[in-house]
Amino acid sequence: MPNLNVQGVTKRYGKFVAVNNISFDAKPGRILGLLGPNGAGKTTTIRMITFITIPDEGEIRYGESMVGEKSQEKMGYLPEERGLYKKMKVGEQLMYFAELKGMGKAEARDRIRYWLDRFGALEWVGKKTNELSKGMQQKIQFIATILHNPSLLILDEPFGGLDPINAELLQDVIMELKDEGRTILFASHRMEQVEQLCDDICLISKGEIIVKGALSDIKRQFGKNTILMDFEGPDAFLDELVSKGAVRLGSRSTRHAELNLLGGTTPKQILEMALPHVSNITRFELVEPPMREIFVTAVSRQQSQQASTTV
Amino acid sequence: MSRNKIFVVAKNEFLKRVKTRWFVFTTLLGPIVMVGFFTVVGIVTATSLETNEKVISLRDETSRLESEFVDPSGKITFKATDSSDDELKKLVLSGDISGYLVLPNGLIEGTESARYYSTEGGGISNFSGDLRSIVRDAVRLVRLEDQAVSREVFEIINANVSLDSIQLSDAGEEQGSTAAYAIVGGIMGFLIYITMLVYGSVVMQGVIEEKTSRVVEIIISSVKPFQLLMGKVLGIGAMGLVQMSFWAILIAAGTTFSGAIIGLIGPPTGSNLPDTATQAEILDSIGFTIPDLGPEVFIWFVLFFLMGYLLYATLFAGIGSAVEQQQDAQSLMLPVMMPIIVSIMFLQAVLEAPNSTLSVALSLFPFTAPIPMVVRIAMIDVPFWQIALSFSLLVGAFLGAVWVSSRIYRIGILSYGKKPSLKELIRWLRYA
């Protein structure tokens, strides 16, 4: 199955540069996490890949040829802001989406049955959309995205509105689709899911790519600089560490803390600081930073750099 | 490939709507409502005509005119009286008499006017016209008598003088039915007006619904916005065509059997037609001739309706894409609606003078053309070059509208939040 190749792409709206000269690849059988703060340019990028809009500069190729009407039929796009025709029946609606993707009726009918069954939704086929709950609509939308057997999937927040059981079902299906060799673009703000699902990462901020590569490589680059600590007793020492500038707290609860080592602080120093205060330590581990940490660090670094260059 | 997708969208739009209860309801009940409306109007008119018999008190101060007062239709009964104004006024107000007529002394010399008192005032009704001619005839008879002119001379002068309008055309001459042609033309023009607005706003609603339900982003990752726009306009147009065809068949059936229907309701009063009277004879007896329209009139009617619908539906779709609520569309629609409103405002003028410069200009300018052109084609022989030019300009305007609307549409359907101004819409045209 083909590669998706984004090469030097820029998109402007009037004077505003939404995406500035970005390049990345998405490979078959892998999930690429497309990350970034709100308004970073993710949706703009996705819309150019799906051929909804066209880049001002640069080119986007899927396989040998530029994206266009041909590649649209091989793509399945689940937008973040999504909806269905309220008064159409589930079956008719899915059939319409399949026909728009150029699918034959008989084949579409079989696949609609298969996927509705897979998501335990076969009995909804004759129901109108506005009779369904939000979670049910969510599943129907996902089915609409994969119905035509696309080799490139673009999923923008696919887990929104799903309960844990359905989220797990969806995750299984996504992994299955990946194992079949499809290329998957996954945009999300939920870093735990990104961490669980993604093989590669592309982090965009203010229209530019600031971090890009395999998730494991990126983590290694950032180094083992995070301590996960579970303890019992008072936690005032954490505030002391922060005020000294020795660490930054990633997350914190009554008996757990995630500390990022700053300015050459060593794990040993942390341990020495903690011991006099706490009554017990049940976990003390040096790990690679979680995705959330990489996200925050990279974005704030870029923004402070931009602030200093504009002054 | 691309034409195929327009077809898929059009088919979905068509089926989705045709299958609704609303569609079945309006298609079946539309004519019933219309027939019901005309029946009610007919019954009301008929009953008001029957109660038209009036009793009028007549105070003849000249003492010479009274004997000449006869209503040829027999609906007005005159009762001579000497009562004073006050007494007569009471009778009028109590409803005992319809009114009273005073003929002053100076009436015969023409120095004074006859005065009619009633609760209804004068107005321009048939009745006051009838009354005036009764008074006039009586006064003239007395005046001629004074000059010793015999009654026969009056009869001769008063003998019927009539004027028939005959319409000349290349096909020959046709007599008497200019009014009927105008009625048919007016109905056709009005039908185009209503359907253009109704189906156009259905398109706009569809666009707004697709946008607010956010389904549009899924759709345009499969088809080009242009294909979605065209599919929508064509699919809803097909729905409109089905509905109109159904009604047209009903109307055709209605006119074919109208004689029989009128016969069923009861033969027109005062007609002495035999039971074997043909339909034309029955219709003639009530003073209506079915205009003899050539098929080309209907062909042009359909073509101008279709192009007019396509032009405006396309523009409405563009507007719909820019807003999120129906109400927000109002201010943007006004400039688009202006030409339609102008063309319906001048409908009367076109009906009265289908060959005037105004009529020709309105029927050539593409944004106003559909209504006046169809009216003119139904009424007179419009030179072929005018029809051809008008239609070509209309097609050109439609293509222009597609260009403008698809650009606005492409940006509009993905723009949420603030409602754009007309200025912003124009700026969208420049985005590639």
Side-chain angles (χ1 to χ4, degrees):
Chain A
M1 289 197 197
N3 269 347
L4 174 72
N5 174 241
V6 176
Q7 192 59 52
V9 163
T10 299
K11 179 79 185 173
R12 298 181 196 89
Y13 289 106
K15 280 178 187 161
F16 175 70
V17 185
V19 168
N20 187 11
N21 190 24
I22 61 166
S23 305
F24 64 87
D25 285 315
K27 296 176 194 76
R30 292 176 79 87
I31 300 181
L32 171 69
L34 199 57
L35 316 178
N38 298 321
K42 280 176 300 178
T43 306
T44 306
T45 307
I46 289 173
R47 283 182 181 165
M48 287 188 286
I49 294 170
T50 50
F51 198 56
I52 291 174
T53 53
I54 302 161
D56 296 328
E57 287 161 34
E59 51 188 44
I60 303 172
R61 289 174 180 279
Y62 186 58
E64 291 305 303
S65 50
M66 307 271 272
V67 292
E69 279 177 67
K70 271 260 149 49
S71 68
Q72 276 188 333
E73 296 193 347
K74 297 177 201 150
M75 275 181 203
Y77 173 37
L78 182 68
E80 183 183 7
E81 297 276 11
R82 50 189 164 244
L84 297 163
Y85 290 104
K86 289 192 186 76
K87 284 174 191 161
M88 271 175 95
K89 288 174 183 165
V90 169
E92 290 171 351
Q93 192 143 201
L94 289 174
M95 181 58 83
Y96 178 45
F97 290 141
E99 278 187 87
L100 284 180
K101 290 287 189 186
M103 233 188 164
K105 271 207 160 171
E107 195 190 356
R109 205 170 291 127
D110 288 346
R111 288 186 60 87
I112 289 170
R113 284 195 75 80
Y114 170 80
W115 281 111
L116 282 176
D117 188 39
R118 184 80 195 273
F119 279 95
L122 208 49
E123 69 272 27
W124 305 341
V125 74
K127 278 199 177 174
K128 285 183 184 170
T129 312
N130 53 9
E131 297 168 39
L132 302 181
S133 74
K134 210 183 161 215
M136 287 170 167
Q137 294 189 26
Q138 187 80 357
K139 289 196 213 172
I140 302 300
Q141 265 148 358
F142 186 79
I143 293 173
T145 311
I146 57 172
L147 198 56
H148 56 291
N149 207 9
S151 53
L152 174 63
L153 276 170
I154 298 157
L155 309 173
D156 199 344
E157 294 288 1
F159 295 98
L162 287 183
D163 64 58
I165 296 171
N166 281 312
E168 206 172 300
L169 174 63
L170 183 60
Q171 191 166 331
D172 288 346
V173 171
I174 292 174
M175 292 311 277
E176 195 182 297
L177 293 167
K178 170 191 145 175
D179 292 340
E180 286 168 8
R182 294 172 218 270
T183 307
I184 300 175
L185 242 68
F186 177 71
S188 179
H189 290 302
R190 300 219 207 143
M191 292 304 144
E192 328 82 66
Q193 275 166 357
V194 170
E195 213 141 357
Q196 276 175 33
L197 286 169
C198 294
D199 303 291
D200 302 301
I201 294 295
C202 181
L203 175 53
I204 304 179
S205 176
K206 298 198 168 171
E208 287 171 10
I209 294 179
I210 51 174
V211 176
K212 172 169 83 169
L215 181 64
S216 50
D217 292 346
I218 291 167
K219 286 207 163 189
R220 209 170 303 129
Q221 274 169 35
F222 274 74
K224 286 199 174 187
N225 67 343
T226 303
I227 286 170
L228 295 180
M229 188 175 169
D230 291 354
F231 57 89
E232 286 159 22
D235 60 359
F237 71 97
L238 291 172
D239 300 314
E240 205 179 318
L241 281 169
V242 171
S243 64
K244 275 186 179 172
V247 298
R248 200 176 42 169
L249 288 175
S251 71
R252 172 181 182 174
S253 58
T254 46
R255 293 169 53 188
H256 173 82
E258 185 189 302
L259 302 93
N260 292 94
L261 304 174
L262 298 177
T265 314
T266 62
K268 182 163 176 276
Q269 287 170 317
I270 304 289
L271 199 56
E272 281 168 356
M273 287 286 286
L275 277 174
H277 301 279
V278 298
S279 56
N280 203 359
I281 292 177
T282 54
R283 179 188 184 192
F284 190 86
E285 188 183 1
L286 183 64
V287 296
E288 287 165 348
M291 199 51 230
R292 190 190 59 248
E293 194 52 43
I294 294 173
F295 184 101
V296 172
T297 312
V299 170
S300 49
R301 191 193 296 152
Q302 184 217 23
Q303 282 172 1
S304 63
Q305 266 173 14
Q306 279 196 348
S308 60
T309 50
T310 49
V311 166
Chain B
M1 203 75 222
S2 75
R3 197 170 303 146
N4 219 335
K5 282 189 177 167
I6 293 178
F7 176 73
V8 173
V9 174
K11 193 183 75 180
N12 179 58
E13 293 289 339
F14 176 77
L15 290 177
K16 196 164 73 178
R17 288 187 165 76
V18 167
K19 278 193 276 186
T20 57
R21 247 173 262 148
W22 175 85
F23 179 79
V24 177
F25 198 72
T26 51
T27 307
L28 293 180
L29 288 191
I32 296 177
V33 169
M34 214 134 77
V35 168
F37 175 75
F38 284 120
T39 309
V40 168
V41 170
I43 289 171
V44 169
T45 318
T47 43
S48 73
L49 283 176
E50 270 163 25
T51 58
N52 223 4
E53 287 178 13
K54 287 177 192 273
V55 178
I56 293 174
S57 287
L58 180 66
R59 199 172 76 213
D60 183 10
E61 293 167 2
T62 66
S63 326
R64 295 185 61 196
L65 290 163
E66 190 196 311
S67 55
E68 307 294 347
F69 262 70
V70 189
D71 177 23
S73 71
K75 281 181 185 162
I76 308 174
T77 314
F78 294 102
K79 284 201 291 189
T81 181
D82 293 322
S83 308
S84 68
D85 277 347
D86 286 343
E87 286 169 58
L88 289 167
K89 274 176 192 165
K90 267 183 211 149
L91 286 173
V92 171
L93 291 174
S94 69
D96 290 335
I97 55 173
S98 306
Y100 72 94
L101 185 64
V102 179
L103 307 172
N105 262 319
L107 181 63
I108 294 172
E109 286 77 38
T111 53
E112 279 183 278
S113 308
R115 298 188 301 275
Y116 177 64
Y117 298 83
S118 75
T119 52
E120 289 168 334
I124 48 164
S125 61
N126 284 335
F127 167 71
S128 58
D130 291 349
L131 192 59
R132 184 176 302 114
S133 68
I134 292 170
V135 174
R136 192 174 51 215
D137 284 355
V139 171
R140 281 178 181 168
L141 265 174
V142 172
R143 283 178 187 168
L144 289 170
E145 243 171 49
D146 288 352
Q147 302 301 319
V149 178
S150 78
R151 204 164 264 261
E152 283 81 51
V153 176
F154 179 73
E155 301 289 339
I156 292 165
I157 290 172
N158 232 17
N160 189 34
V161 179
S162 61
L163 173 69
D164 287 338
S165 297
I166 295 140
Q167 187 186 337
L168 288 176
S169 69
D170 290 340
E173 57 184 53
E174 288 177 64
Q175 191 178 339
S177 47
T178 37
Y181 285 117
I183 289 171
V184 170
I187 289 174
M188 283 178 163
F190 206 69
L191 214 56
I192 290 184
Y193 170 70
I194 298 277
T195 46
M196 247 170 23
L197 286 190
V198 170
Y199 298 139
S201 62
V202 170
V203 170
M204 193 171 82
Q205 267 168 21
V207 171
I208 294 177
E209 193 204 315
E210 232 168 34
K211 185 179 171 183
T212 47
S213 73
R214 309 265 177 170
V215 76
V216 70
E217 195 159 352
I218 299 179
I219 305 292
I220 59 167
S221 70
S222 308
V223 302
K224 281 195 206 149
F226 168 76
Q227 296 168 332
L228 180 58
L229 175 87
M230 285 324 294
K232 207 174 246 312
V233 168
L234 292 177
I236 293 169
M239 175 204 79
L241 210 56
V242 166
Q243 202 163 43
M244 295 266 284
S245 310
F246 182 76
W247 292 341
I249 291 167
L250 280 191
I251 291 170
T255 46
T256 311
F257 300 114
S258 56
I261 293 167
I262 291 169
L264 277 181
I265 296 169
T269 41
S271 76
N272 300 312
L273 290 169
D275 288 346
T276 54
T278 63
Q279 170 170 312
E281 281 171 336
I282 295 175
L283 288 175
D284 263 349
S285 74
I286 57 163
F288 186 82
T289 30
I290 296 176
D292 181 22
L293 294 167
E296 74 281 354
V297 173
F298 291 98
I299 292 168
W300 284 120
F301 167 68
V302 170
L303 287 177
F304 274 94
F305 155 68
L306 271 183
M307 281 319 292
Y309 159 78
L310 287 175
L311 171 63
Y312 279 100
T314 307
L315 290 173
F316 283 179
I319 291 170
S321 74
V323 300
E324 284 169 69
Q325 283 167 1
Q326 195 89 42
Q327 304 93 282
D328 293 342
Q330 301 303 333
S331 61
L332 293 171
M333 271 173 74
L334 193 66
V336 176
M337 299 263 302
M338 265 336 263
I340 310 185
I341 295 168
V342 165
S343 68
I344 207 77
M345 254 167 47
F346 284 114
L347 183 62
Q348 188 68 29
V350 175
L351 283 169
E352 275 166 19
N355 259 337
S356 66
T357 315
L358 173 75
S359 301
V360 174
L362 283 174
S363 66
L364 288 179
F365 180 62
F367 289 93
T368 54
I371 296 170
M373 187 48 105
V374 162
V375 170
R376 293 182 63 214
I377 291 173
M379 287 179 71
I380 56 167
D381 253 4
V382 181
F384 181 74
W385 71 265
Q386 282 187 9
I387 303 180
L389 177 62
S390 166
F391 195 72
S392 316
L393 288 174
L394 193 54
V395 171
F398 165 61
L399 295 177
V402 168
W403 186 86
V404 168
S405 272
S406 61
R407 279 172 172 251
I408 291 175
Y409 192 82
R410 210 169 48 190
I411 312 267
I413 42 177
L414 293 172
S415 302
Y416 294 92
K418 200 174 130 280
K419 177 189 116 189
S421 64
L422 205 59
K423 224 165 148 191
E424 274 168 295
L425 289 191
I426 292 165
R427 214 180 54 218
W428 286 359
L429 293 181
R430 275 178 282 153
Y431 288 151

